[in-house]
mmCIF file of all heavy atoms in Angstrom:
data_model
loop_
_atom_site.group_PDB
_atom_site.id
_atom_site.type_symbol
_atom_site.label_atom_id
_atom_site.label_comp_id
_atom_site.label_asym_id
_atom_site.label_seq_id
_atom_site.Cartn_x
_atom_site.Cartn_y
_atom_site.Cartn_z
ATOM 1 N N GLU A 28 67.353 117.302 102.305
ATOM 2 C CA GLU A 28 67.373 117.969 101.008
ATOM 3 C C GLU A 28 66.926 117.023 99.900
ATOM 4 O O GLU A 28 66.168 117.394 99.012
ATOM 5 C CB GLU A 28 68.777 118.511 100.731
ATOM 6 C CG GLU A 28 69.112 119.703 101.636
ATOM 7 C CD GLU A 28 70.508 120.231 101.378
ATOM 8 O OE1 GLU A 28 71.278 119.557 100.676
ATOM 9 O OE2 GLU A 28 70.839 121.304 101.891
ATOM 10 N N ASP A 29 67.398 115.744 99.955
ATOM 11 C CA ASP A 29 66.977 114.784 98.944
ATOM 12 C C ASP A 29 65.488 114.526 99.046
ATOM 13 O O ASP A 29 64.791 114.405 98.041
ATOM 14 C CB ASP A 29 67.748 113.464 99.109
ATOM 15 C CG ASP A 29 69.209 113.621 98.752
ATOM 16 O OD1 ASP A 29 69.535 114.587 98.039
ATOM 17 O OD2 ASP A 29 70.020 112.787 99.189
ATOM 18 N N ALA A 30 64.993 114.435 100.296
ATOM 19 C CA ALA A 30 63.561 114.174 100.470
ATOM 20 C C ALA A 30 62.737 115.307 99.917
ATOM 21 O O ALA A 30 61.686 115.107 99.316
ATOM 22 C CB ALA A 30 63.245 113.966 101.958
ATOM 23 N N VAL A 31 63.214 116.540 100.123
ATOM 24 C CA VAL A 31 62.481 117.694 99.605
ATOM 25 C C VAL A 31 62.420 117.626 98.089
ATOM 26 O O VAL A 31 61.373 117.846 97.483
ATOM 27 C CB VAL A 31 63.147 119.000 100.063
ATOM 28 C CG1 VAL A 31 62.485 120.186 99.405
ATOM 29 C CG2 VAL A 31 63.053 119.141 101.582
ATOM 30 N N GLU A 32 63.558 117.309 97.453
ATOM 31 C CA GLU A 32 63.573 117.219 96.004
ATOM 32 C C GLU A 32 62.614 116.135 95.525
ATOM 33 O O GLU A 32 61.878 116.312 94.556
ATOM 34 C CB GLU A 32 64.992 116.912 95.530
ATOM 35 C CG GLU A 32 65.944 118.102 95.733
ATOM 36 C CD GLU A 32 67.372 117.717 95.436
ATOM 37 O OE1 GLU A 32 67.607 116.572 95.028
ATOM 38 O OE2 GLU A 32 68.263 118.572 95.598
ATOM 39 N N ASP A 33 62.593 114.977 96.225
ATOM 40 C CA ASP A 33 61.698 113.906 95.815
ATOM 41 C C ASP A 33 60.250 114.340 95.908
ATOM 42 O O ASP A 33 59.438 114.060 95.038
ATOM 43 C CB ASP A 33 61.912 112.674 96.707
ATOM 44 C CG ASP A 33 63.240 111.992 96.414
ATOM 45 O OD1 ASP A 33 63.816 112.284 95.356
ATOM 46 O OD2 ASP A 33 63.697 111.192 97.245
ATOM 47 N N ASP A 34 59.889 115.051 97.011
ATOM 48 C CA ASP A 34 58.513 115.494 97.167
ATOM 49 C C ASP A 34 58.121 116.425 96.036
ATOM 50 O O ASP A 34 57.021 116.347 95.496
ATOM 51 C CB ASP A 34 58.336 116.241 98.503
ATOM 52 C CG ASP A 34 58.275 115.271 99.683
ATOM 53 O OD1 ASP A 34 57.958 114.101 99.448
ATOM 54 O OD2 ASP A 34 58.559 115.698 100.810
ATOM 55 N N GLU A 35 59.034 117.328 95.672
ATOM 56 C CA GLU A 35 58.703 118.277 94.620
ATOM 57 C C GLU A 35 58.533 117.557 93.282
ATOM 58 O O GLU A 35 57.610 117.835 92.521
ATOM 59 C CB GLU A 35 59.801 119.332 94.519
ATOM 60 C CG GLU A 35 59.803 120.290 95.724
ATOM 61 C CD GLU A 35 61.017 121.174 95.742
ATOM 62 O OE1 GLU A 35 61.935 120.935 94.944
ATOM 63 O OE2 GLU A 35 61.066 122.108 96.558
ATOM 64 N N GLU A 36 59.419 116.592 93.014
ATOM 65 C CA GLU A 36 59.337 115.884 91.750
ATOM 66 C C GLU A 36 58.064 115.057 91.666
ATOM 67 O O GLU A 36 57.476 114.886 90.599
ATOM 68 C CB GLU A 36 60.553 114.958 91.604
ATOM 69 C CG GLU A 36 61.855 115.738 91.359
ATOM 70 C CD GLU A 36 63.055 114.840 91.437
ATOM 71 O OE1 GLU A 36 62.888 113.624 91.628
ATOM 72 O OE2 GLU A 36 64.179 115.336 91.317
ATOM 73 N N ASN A 37 57.621 114.536 92.818
ATOM 74 C CA ASN A 37 56.441 113.685 92.817
ATOM 75 C C ASN A 37 55.148 114.482 92.912
ATOM 76 O O ASN A 37 54.068 113.913 92.940
ATOM 77 C CB ASN A 37 56.508 112.710 94.003
ATOM 78 C CG ASN A 37 57.623 111.699 93.826
ATOM 79 O OD1 ASN A 37 58.007 111.400 92.708
ATOM 80 N ND2 ASN A 37 58.143 111.183 94.932
ATOM 81 N N GLY A 38 55.268 115.821 93.015
ATOM 82 C CA GLY A 38 54.070 116.646 93.085
ATOM 83 C C GLY A 38 53.238 116.349 94.314
ATOM 84 O O GLY A 38 52.019 116.283 94.251
ATOM 85 N N ASP A 39 53.903 116.135 95.478
ATOM 86 C CA ASP A 39 53.226 115.703 96.691
ATOM 87 C C ASP A 39 52.528 116.886 97.353
ATOM 88 O O ASP A 39 52.934 117.385 98.384
ATOM 89 C CB ASP A 39 54.265 115.089 97.645
ATOM 90 C CG ASP A 39 53.610 114.235 98.709
ATOM 91 O OD1 ASP A 39 52.374 114.162 98.722
ATOM 92 O OD2 ASP A 39 54.359 113.635 99.508
ATOM 93 N N ASP A 40 51.436 117.350 96.730
ATOM 94 C CA ASP A 40 50.734 118.522 97.260
ATOM 95 C C ASP A 40 49.239 118.273 97.240
ATOM 96 O O ASP A 40 48.463 119.045 96.722
ATOM 97 C CB ASP A 40 51.079 119.772 96.454
ATOM 98 C CG ASP A 40 50.731 119.624 94.982
ATOM 99 O OD1 ASP A 40 50.366 118.516 94.537
ATOM 100 O OD2 ASP A 40 50.812 120.635 94.280
ATOM 101 N N GLU A 41 48.815 117.136 97.836
ATOM 102 C CA GLU A 41 47.413 116.778 97.856
ATOM 103 C C GLU A 41 46.582 117.943 98.374
ATOM 104 O O GLU A 41 46.995 118.703 99.225
ATOM 105 C CB GLU A 41 47.216 115.540 98.736
ATOM 106 C CG GLU A 41 47.822 114.280 98.142
ATOM 107 C CD GLU A 41 47.484 113.055 98.967
ATOM 108 O OE1 GLU A 41 46.760 113.199 99.968
ATOM 109 O OE2 GLU A 41 47.950 111.973 98.610
ATOM 110 N N GLU A 42 45.373 118.053 97.876
ATOM 111 C CA GLU A 42 44.413 119.075 98.254
ATOM 112 C C GLU A 42 44.941 120.488 97.983
ATOM 113 O O GLU A 42 44.452 121.452 98.558
ATOM 114 C CB GLU A 42 44.037 118.934 99.734
ATOM 115 C CG GLU A 42 43.432 117.568 100.068
ATOM 116 C CD GLU A 42 43.111 117.430 101.532
ATOM 117 O OE1 GLU A 42 43.146 118.437 102.260
ATOM 118 O OE2 GLU A 42 42.834 116.305 101.953
ATOM 119 N N ASP A 43 45.930 120.603 97.097
ATOM 120 C CA ASP A 43 46.477 121.899 96.715
ATOM 121 C C ASP A 43 46.976 122.697 97.905
ATOM 122 O O ASP A 43 46.928 123.931 97.905
ATOM 123 C CB ASP A 43 45.430 122.729 95.950
ATOM 124 C CG ASP A 43 45.099 122.096 94.603
ATOM 125 O OD1 ASP A 43 46.023 121.523 93.997
ATOM 126 O OD2 ASP A 43 43.933 122.172 94.195
ATOM 127 N N LEU A 44 47.441 122.021 98.961
ATOM 128 C CA LEU A 44 47.950 122.739 100.128
ATOM 129 C C LEU A 44 49.234 123.487 99.799
ATOM 130 O O LEU A 44 49.648 124.374 100.555
ATOM 131 C CB LEU A 44 48.196 121.772 101.298
ATOM 132 C CG LEU A 44 46.966 121.034 101.841
ATOM 133 C CD1 LEU A 44 47.329 120.262 103.100
ATOM 134 C CD2 LEU A 44 45.816 121.989 102.108
ATOM 135 N N GLY A 45 49.874 123.120 98.682
ATOM 136 C CA GLY A 45 51.084 123.822 98.292
ATOM 137 C C GLY A 45 50.820 125.131 97.580
ATOM 138 O O GLY A 45 51.746 125.896 97.330
ATOM 139 N N ASP A 46 49.563 125.400 97.221
ATOM 140 C CA ASP A 46 49.217 126.652 96.554
ATOM 141 C C ASP A 46 48.952 127.742 97.592
ATOM 142 O O ASP A 46 48.303 127.492 98.607
ATOM 143 C CB ASP A 46 47.971 126.475 95.687
ATOM 144 C CG ASP A 46 48.219 125.522 94.523
ATOM 145 O OD1 ASP A 46 49.396 125.352 94.153
ATOM 146 O OD2 ASP A 46 47.244 124.947 94.014
ATOM 147 N N ALA A 47 49.452 128.935 97.342
ATOM 148 C CA ALA A 47 49.212 130.052 98.263
ATOM 149 C C ALA A 47 48.925 131.306 97.443
ATOM 150 O O ALA A 47 49.631 131.606 96.485
ATOM 151 C CB ALA A 47 50.429 130.278 99.160
ATOM 152 N N ASP A 48 47.880 132.013 97.828
ATOM 153 C CA ASP A 48 47.475 133.221 97.112
ATOM 154 C C ASP A 48 47.219 134.331 98.132
ATOM 155 O O ASP A 48 46.072 134.554 98.539
ATOM 156 C CB ASP A 48 46.215 132.940 96.291
ATOM 157 C CG ASP A 48 45.826 134.126 95.415
ATOM 158 O OD1 ASP A 48 46.695 134.995 95.179
ATOM 159 O OD2 ASP A 48 44.662 134.174 94.979
ATOM 160 N N PRO A 49 48.269 135.013 98.575
ATOM 161 C CA PRO A 49 48.092 136.033 99.614
ATOM 162 C C PRO A 49 47.313 137.238 99.111
ATOM 163 O O PRO A 49 47.279 137.526 97.913
ATOM 164 C CB PRO A 49 49.532 136.416 99.969
ATOM 165 C CG PRO A 49 50.315 136.120 98.741
ATOM 166 C CD PRO A 49 49.671 134.904 98.131
ATOM 167 N N ASP A 50 46.678 137.934 100.038
ATOM 168 C CA ASP A 50 46.011 139.189 99.715
ATOM 169 C C ASP A 50 47.046 140.290 99.538
ATOM 170 O O ASP A 50 48.237 140.107 99.842
ATOM 171 C CB ASP A 50 45.044 139.579 100.832
ATOM 172 C CG ASP A 50 43.913 138.577 100.989
ATOM 173 O OD1 ASP A 50 43.614 137.883 100.004
ATOM 174 O OD2 ASP A 50 43.357 138.483 102.108
ATOM 175 N N GLU A 51 46.597 141.448 99.066
ATOM 176 C CA GLU A 51 47.499 142.587 98.906
ATOM 177 C C GLU A 51 48.140 142.926 100.248
ATOM 178 O O GLU A 51 47.454 143.033 101.269
ATOM 179 C CB GLU A 51 46.728 143.800 98.371
ATOM 180 C CG GLU A 51 47.608 144.996 98.060
ATOM 181 C CD GLU A 51 46.827 146.138 97.440
ATOM 182 O OE1 GLU A 51 45.627 145.942 97.125
ATOM 183 O OE2 GLU A 51 47.425 147.217 97.264
ATOM 184 N N GLY A 52 49.442 143.066 100.245
ATOM 185 C CA GLY A 52 50.171 143.375 101.475
ATOM 186 C C GLY A 52 50.591 142.153 102.267
ATOM 187 O O GLY A 52 51.331 142.268 103.246
ATOM 188 N N GLY A 53 50.129 140.966 101.843
ATOM 189 C CA GLY A 53 50.505 139.738 102.527
ATOM 190 C C GLY A 53 51.701 139.069 101.877
ATOM 191 O O GLY A 53 52.166 139.483 100.817
ATOM 192 N N GLU A 54 52.197 138.039 102.522
ATOM 193 C CA GLU A 54 53.354 137.300 102.026
ATOM 194 C C GLU A 54 53.018 135.826 101.869
ATOM 195 O O GLU A 54 52.106 135.315 102.530
ATOM 196 C CB GLU A 54 54.535 137.460 102.988
ATOM 197 C CG GLU A 54 55.065 138.877 103.119
ATOM 198 C CD GLU A 54 56.348 138.936 103.926
ATOM 199 O OE1 GLU A 54 57.034 137.884 104.018
ATOM 200 O OE2 GLU A 54 56.661 140.017 104.461
ATOM 201 N N ILE A 55 53.758 135.148 100.981
ATOM 202 C CA ILE A 55 53.685 133.696 100.891
ATOM 203 C C ILE A 55 54.651 133.129 101.921
ATOM 204 O O ILE A 55 55.848 133.420 101.888
ATOM 205 C CB ILE A 55 54.051 133.193 99.485
ATOM 206 C CG1 ILE A 55 53.020 133.665 98.458
ATOM 207 C CG2 ILE A 55 54.150 131.664 99.470
ATOM 208 C CD1 ILE A 55 53.357 133.276 97.035
ATOM 209 N N LEU A 56 54.120 132.338 102.855
ATOM 210 C CA LEU A 56 54.916 131.771 103.938
ATOM 211 C C LEU A 56 55.007 130.264 103.754
ATOM 212 O O LEU A 56 53.988 129.586 103.604
ATOM 213 C CB LEU A 56 54.285 132.103 105.288
ATOM 214 C CG LEU A 56 54.056 133.588 105.576
ATOM 215 C CD1 LEU A 56 53.261 133.768 106.861
ATOM 216 C CD2 LEU A 56 55.383 134.329 105.663
ATOM 217 N N SER A 57 56.229 129.754 103.751
ATOM 218 C CA SER A 57 56.443 128.323 103.593
ATOM 219 C C SER A 57 56.245 127.624 104.935
ATOM 220 O O SER A 57 56.838 128.005 105.941
ATOM 221 C CB SER A 57 57.859 128.064 103.069
ATOM 222 O OG SER A 57 58.102 126.688 102.940
ATOM 223 N N TRP A 58 55.398 126.591 104.938
ATOM 224 C CA TRP A 58 55.054 125.863 106.162
ATOM 225 C C TRP A 58 55.327 124.381 105.918
ATOM 226 O O TRP A 58 54.688 123.755 105.092
ATOM 227 C CB TRP A 58 53.580 126.096 106.492
ATOM 228 C CG TRP A 58 53.087 125.425 107.738
ATOM 229 C CD1 TRP A 58 52.938 124.082 107.946
ATOM 230 C CD2 TRP A 58 52.655 126.065 108.941
ATOM 231 N NE1 TRP A 58 52.449 123.844 109.199
ATOM 232 C CE2 TRP A 58 52.261 125.040 109.835
ATOM 233 C CE3 TRP A 58 52.548 127.398 109.344
ATOM 234 C CZ2 TRP A 58 51.779 125.321 111.121
ATOM 235 C CZ3 TRP A 58 52.064 127.666 110.613
ATOM 236 C CH2 TRP A 58 51.684 126.644 111.495
ATOM 237 N N ASP A 59 56.295 123.811 106.645
ATOM 238 C CA ASP A 59 56.666 122.409 106.467
ATOM 239 C C ASP A 59 55.821 121.530 107.374
ATOM 240 O O ASP A 59 55.741 121.757 108.590
ATOM 241 C CB ASP A 59 58.146 122.205 106.787
ATOM 242 C CG ASP A 59 59.050 122.863 105.759
ATOM 243 O OD1 ASP A 59 58.581 123.124 104.637
ATOM 244 O OD2 ASP A 59 60.224 123.116 106.082
#
Side-chain angles (χ1 to χ4, degrees):
E28 289 179 348
D29 291 340
V31 174
E32 290 172 3
D33 289 344
D34 283 338
E35 289 170 351
E36 289 171 3
N37 292 334
D39 198 358
D40 58 352
E41 292 186 2
E42 301 178 12
D43 294 325
L44 298 187
D46 294 338
D48 186 19
D50 296 336
E51 185 176 353
E54 296 188 22
I55 295 177
L56 304 173
S57 178
W58 181 292
D59 291 339

